[in-house]
Amino acid sequence: MIHGHGDDIGQYGATIRANFSSNVWYGGLNPGLSAHLQDKIAAVTHYPDPAAETLRQAAATSYGLHPDQVLVTNGATEAIYLVAQAFSPYASSVATLRSTSSSSATILIPSFAEYADACRIHGLETTWLPWGKITPATRFHHSLVFICNPNNPTGDALSTDLLQQLLQNNPDPLFVIDESYIEFTDTTNSLIPLLAAYPNLLILRSLTKSCCIPGLRLGFALGHSDRIRSLQLIKMPWSVNRLAIEAGLYIFRNPQQFTLPLAQLLAATAGWRGQLQDATGWTIHPTDTHYFLVEMRVAHTGVLHPPDHRRPTDLGACPATAATLKQWLIREHGLLIRDASNFRGLTPYHFRVACQSPEHNQYLTDALRQCSQTGI
């Protein structure tokens, strides 16, 4: 999906004073990393290592793995497409992850659209499983399972125990657990310690969200060495640029500089969710992270209008869709949200926001209060 993601700030001529559409940590670029990248800028006159080997070694040390268990990718998204390609019915026998002739995938929804797009492009049959339907007894009959944990866009997180039960009870499919937002929750743990016990586990990680470098595109696939080797066979060389490699090396060498104030962030998120509920009366969905869904329906009633009892049937007082609300917020307030209507399983009335600074959060709270009371 080339278009339709969050952080599409470049598409609008208006000045955006607060961006709630991205799940990236709002703290900004680390000063030490910024200085390091400026110092290394001349390195772009040379090709990067084709396989980012130095960063692979550093990542393996940081994650407690052997380098053969690590693949450096151009964001977690490149890893998603490599996995789908390796499971494709068109994949060669030397570069496939399939243990059977099946080329099929199950995707928990609503979730990141690139899982489905990667499967579609590479010819995989796809089945959708609603997030709320997952239990320890769930059985998967496809060869590949995509689970975003914590999930994007809902912010929900599956427990480590539940995921381990799924791995034990479904030994045949490959589980791709996308942990791109694992640093933003305290309700689940990374499954990296389970890699040795479960060859049917592949973990995706990203430095772009918690380290605030989405423009550099830097991710990792972690798994059994045979699976990583299969992905390496179909990966294009030089997909990770020189500055991204330098950023990754700096981050792994200075991890203390990139520890999020998680307790503070989650507390601020919880408080802000309550303020939005009070201000709008809309449905503010629960979350295990700093981002969450808002549904423009009066809480507990399913009614598609604001809590203005003087005009209970006048839908004109309410934004028609999340897309309409998004445009109004940009035009009138310089605020950007994520229209979530293009996530499979959601409605035209869903949008996603991520907790920002208290000042910026107040901007959006005030704007949504105005919208819910007087319309747009």
Side-chain angles (χ1 to χ4, degrees):
M1 183 173 66
I2 299 297
H3 301 292
H5 289 291
D7 202 18
D8 53 353
I9 193 169
Q11 297 185 26
Y12 306 100
T15 299
I16 302 298
R17 62 175 178 168
N19 181 4
F20 297 88
S21 72
S22 169
N23 294 341
V24 172
W25 161 237
Y26 73 83
L29 184 62
N30 175 276
L33 176 57
S34 177
H36 178 74
L37 293 177
Q38 292 178 49
D39 184 58
K40 297 295 183 178
I41 190 65
V44 300
T45 60
H46 303 284
Y47 280 94
D49 181 340
E53 190 60 37
T54 54
L55 183 54
R56 184 185 194 184
Q57 297 277 347
T61 299
S62 179
Y63 293 133
L65 301 173
H66 189 277
D68 289 348
Q69 295 177 275
V70 178
L71 184 69
V72 185
T73 57
N74 189 289
T77 300
E78 184 189 15
I80 293 167
Y81 279 78
L82 287 173
V83 170
Q85 183 179 348
F87 271 82
S88 169
Y90 320 120
S92 69
S93 59
V94 297
T96 183
L97 293 179
R98 287 182 282 117
S99 58
T100 69
S101 60
S102 172
S103 295
S104 57
T106 298
I107 301 174
L108 267 65
I109 58 168
S111 202
F112 189 43
E114 297 302 337
Y115 310 136
D117 282 358
C119 290
R120 174 181 53 80
I121 288 172
H122 292 291
L124 276 71
E125 175 189 348
T126 305
T127 295
W128 317 100
L129 177 65
W131 183 268
K133 298 290 186 182
I134 193 77
T135 72
T138 301
R139 296 295 182 269
F140 295 95
H141 304 291
H142 289 171
S143 52
L144 179 62
V145 179
F146 281 103
I147 300 177
C148 188
N149 194 55
N151 190 33
N152 174 26
T154 65
D156 294 329
L158 298 177
S159 71
T160 306
D161 288 344
L162 174 57
L163 290 169
Q164 187 168 4
Q165 288 175 306
L166 292 175
L167 289 165
Q168 290 174 342
N169 296 335
N170 297 272
D172 294 328
L174 175 66
F175 283 78
V176 180
I177 308 298
D178 187 345
E179 295 185 348
S180 291
Y181 298 100
I182 196 74
E183 291 90 356
F184 293 97
T185 186
D186 59 5
T187 60
T188 191
N189 297 315
S190 174
L191 296 190
I192 291 176
L194 300 182
L195 282 173
Y198 296 100
N200 59 328
L201 172 62
L202 187 75
I203 297 173
L204 306 185
R205 294 296 294 264
S206 171
L207 296 183
T208 62
K209 281 75 173 178
S210 61
C211 300
C212 199
I213 52 169
L216 284 179
R217 314 306 306 133
L218 187 55
F220 305 89
L222 314 173
H224 189 277
S225 58
D226 289 344
R227 297 193 185 277
I228 296 300
R229 189 177 305 111
S230 294
L231 294 178
Q232 184 73 63
L233 286 171
I234 56 177
K235 183 180 181 294
M236 63 177 284
W238 304 304
S239 71
V240 182
N241 70 72
R242 194 71 180 258
L243 287 182
I245 292 174
E246 288 293 344
L249 290 173
Y250 182 91
I251 291 166
F252 285 131
R253 290 166 183 164
N254 301 277
Q256 71 285 351
Q257 296 183 22
F258 298 90
T259 301
L260 293 176
L262 183 58
Q264 177 183 342
L265 180 61
L266 294 180
T269 301
W272 185 42
R273 289 179 61 251
Q275 292 171 9
L276 288 175
Q277 176 65 64
D278 293 341
T280 65
W282 295 344
T283 299
I284 314 298
H285 287 272
T287 183
D288 293 310
T289 66
H290 70 303
Y291 56 88
F292 52 91
L293 288 174
V294 179
E295 191 175 359
M296 295 185 299
R297 298 174 185 265
V298 176
H300 310 304
T301 70
V303 178
L304 285 175
H305 58 74
D308 182 353
H309 302 296
R310 295 169 299 174
R311 294 182 290 182
T313 61
D314 182 6
L315 299 188
C318 182
T321 63
T324 305
L325 174 64
K326 176 180 177 178
Q327 295 300 324
W328 179 77
L329 286 170
I330 292 170
R331 184 178 66 251
E332 300 296 329
H333 296 276
L335 303 175
L336 184 62
I337 61 172
R338 168 65 156 97
D339 172 9
S341 60
N342 63 343
F343 284 96
R344 182 180 289 267
L346 299 185
T347 74
Y349 311 103
H350 283 90
F351 63 93
R352 189 197 69 201
V353 294
C355 186
Q356 306 293 316
S357 68
E359 178 185 16
H360 286 180
N361 291 345
Q362 192 63 52
Y363 291 159
L364 186 59
T365 301
D366 293 342
L368 294 182
R369 177 185 291 110
Q370 175 188 344
C371 174
S372 69
Q373 292 177 350
T374 64
I376 60 177

Coordinates of all heavy atoms in Angstrom, one line a residue, residues 1-6 77 81 111-118 120-121 338-339 342-343:
M1 N 0.9 -1.2 0.0 CA 0.0 0.0 0.0 C 0.9 1.2 0.0 O 1.4 1.6 1.0 CB -0.9 0.0 1.2 CG -1.9 1.2 1.2 SD -3.1 1.0 2.6 CE -2.1 1.2 4.0
I2 N 1.1 1.8 -1.2 CA 2.0 3.0 -1.2 C 1.4 4.2 -0.5 O 2.1 4.9 0.2 CB 2.2 3.4 -2.7 CG1 2.9 2.2 -3.4 CG2 3.1 4.6 -2.8 CD1 4.3 1.8 -2.9
H3 N 0.1 4.4 -0.7 CA -0.6 5.5 0.0 C -1.6 4.9 1.0 O -2.0 3.8 1.0 CB -1.3 6.3 -1.0 CG -0.5 6.9 -2.1 ND1 0.5 7.9 -1.8 CD2 -0.4 6.6 -3.4 CE1 1.1 8.2 -3.0 NE2 0.6 7.4 -3.9
G4 N -1.9 5.8 2.0 CA -2.9 5.4 3.0 C -2.3 5.1 4.4 O -3.0 4.6 5.3
H5 N -1.0 5.3 4.5 CA -0.4 5.1 5.8 C -0.5 6.4 6.6 O -0.9 7.4 6.1 CB 1.1 4.7 5.7 CG 1.3 3.3 5.2 ND1 1.0 2.2 5.9 CD2 1.8 2.8 4.0 CE1 1.3 1.1 5.2 NE2 1.8 1.5 4.0
G6 N -0.1 6.3 7.9 CA 0.0 7.5 8.7 C 1.2 8.3 8.3 O 2.0 8.0 7.5
T77 N 9.4 -3.6 7.1 CA 8.6 -3.8 5.9 C 9.3 -4.6 4.8 O 8.7 -5.5 4.2 CB 8.1 -2.5 5.3 OG1 7.3 -1.8 6.2 CG2 7.3 -2.7 4.0
Y81 N 8.0 -8.4 3.2 CA 7.9 -8.8 1.7 C 8.9 -9.9 1.4 O 8.5 -10.8 0.6 CB 8.2 -7.5 0.9 CG 7.0 -6.6 0.7 CD1 6.6 -5.8 1.7 CD2 6.2 -6.7 -0.4 CE1 5.5 -5.0 1.6 CE2 5.1 -5.9 -0.6 CZ 4.8 -5.0 0.4 OH 3.7 -4.2 0.3
S111 N -5.0 -5.0 11.2 CA -3.5 -4.9 11.4 C -2.9 -4.2 10.2 O -3.5 -3.8 9.2 CB -2.9 -6.3 11.6 OG -1.7 -6.3 12.2
F112 N -1.5 -4.1 10.3 CA -0.7 -3.4 9.3 C -1.0 -4.0 7.9 O -0.9 -5.2 7.7 CB 0.7 -3.6 9.7 CG 1.8 -2.8 8.9 CD1 1.5 -1.5 8.6 CD2 2.9 -3.4 8.5 CE1 2.5 -0.7 8.0 CE2 3.9 -2.6 7.8 CZ 3.7 -1.3 7.6
A113 N -1.3 -3.1 7.0 CA -1.7 -3.5 5.6 C -0.6 -4.2 4.8 O -1.0 -4.9 3.9 CB -2.2 -2.3 4.9
E114 N 0.6 -4.0 5.2 CA 1.7 -4.5 4.3 C 1.8 -6.1 4.4 O 2.3 -6.7 3.4 CB 3.0 -3.9 4.7 CG 3.1 -2.4 4.5 CD 2.9 -2.0 3.1 OE1 3.1 -2.8 2.1 OE2 2.5 -0.8 2.9
Y115 N 1.2 -6.7 5.4 CA 1.2 -8.1 5.5 C 0.4 -8.7 4.3 O 0.8 -9.5 3.5 CB 0.6 -8.7 6.8 CG 1.2 -8.1 8.0 CD1 0.4 -7.7 9.1 CD2 2.6 -8.0 8.2 CE1 0.9 -7.2 10.3 CE2 3.2 -7.5 9.3 CZ 2.3 -7.1 10.4 OH 2.8 -6.6 11.5
A116 N -0.8 -8.1 4.2 CA -1.8 -8.5 3.1 C -1.2 -8.1 1.7 O -1.3 -8.9 0.8 CB -3.1 -7.9 3.3
D117 N -0.7 -6.9 1.6 CA -0.2 -6.5 0.3 C 1.0 -7.4 -0.1 O 1.1 -7.8 -1.3 CB 0.3 -5.1 0.4 CG -0.9 -4.1 0.3 OD1 -2.0 -4.6 0.2 OD2 -0.7 -2.9 0.4
A118 N 1.9 -7.8 0.8 CA 3.0 -8.6 0.5 C 2.5 -10.0 0.0 O 3.0 -10.6 -1.0 CB 3.9 -8.8 1.7
R120 N -0.5 -10.7 -1.3 CA -1.1 -10.6 -2.6 C -0.1 -10.5 -3.7 O -0.3 -11.2 -4.7 CB -2.0 -9.3 -2.5 CG -2.7 -9.0 -3.9 CD -3.5 -7.7 -3.8 NE -2.7 -6.6 -3.2 CZ -1.9 -5.8 -3.9 NH1 -1.7 -6.1 -5.2 NH2 -1.2 -4.8 -3.4
I121 N 0.9 -9.7 -3.5 CA 1.9 -9.5 -4.6 C 2.6 -10.8 -4.9 O 2.9 -11.1 -6.1 CB 2.9 -8.4 -4.2 CG1 2.2 -7.1 -4.3 CG2 4.1 -8.5 -5.1 CD1 3.1 -6.0 -3.7
R338 N -4.6 9.8 12.0 CA -4.5 8.7 11.0 C -5.9 8.2 10.8 O -6.6 7.7 11.7 CB -3.7 7.6 11.6 CG -3.8 6.2 10.9 CD -3.2 6.3 9.5 NE -2.7 5.0 9.0 CZ -3.5 4.2 8.2 NH1 -4.7 4.5 7.8 NH2 -2.9 3.0 7.8
D339 N -6.4 8.5 9.6 CA -7.7 7.9 9.2 C -7.5 6.4 9.1 O -6.7 5.9 8.3 CB -8.1 8.5 7.8 CG -9.3 7.8 7.2 OD1 -10.0 7.0 7.9 OD2 -9.6 8.1 6.0
N342 N -9.1 2.4 6.3 CA -8.6 1.5 5.4 C -8.0 0.2 6.0 O -7.4 -0.6 5.3 CB -7.6 2.1 4.4 CG -6.4 2.7 5.1 OD1 -6.4 2.8 6.3 ND2 -5.3 3.0 4.4
F343 N -8.1 0.1 7.3 CA -7.7 -1.1 8.0 C -8.8 -2.1 7.9 O -10.0 -1.8 8.2 CB -7.4 -0.9 9.5 CG -6.0 -0.3 9.7 CD1 -6.0 1.1 9.9 CD2 -4.9 -1.0 9.8 CE1 -4.7 1.7 10.2 CE2 -3.7 -0.4 10.1 CZ -3.6 1.0 10.3

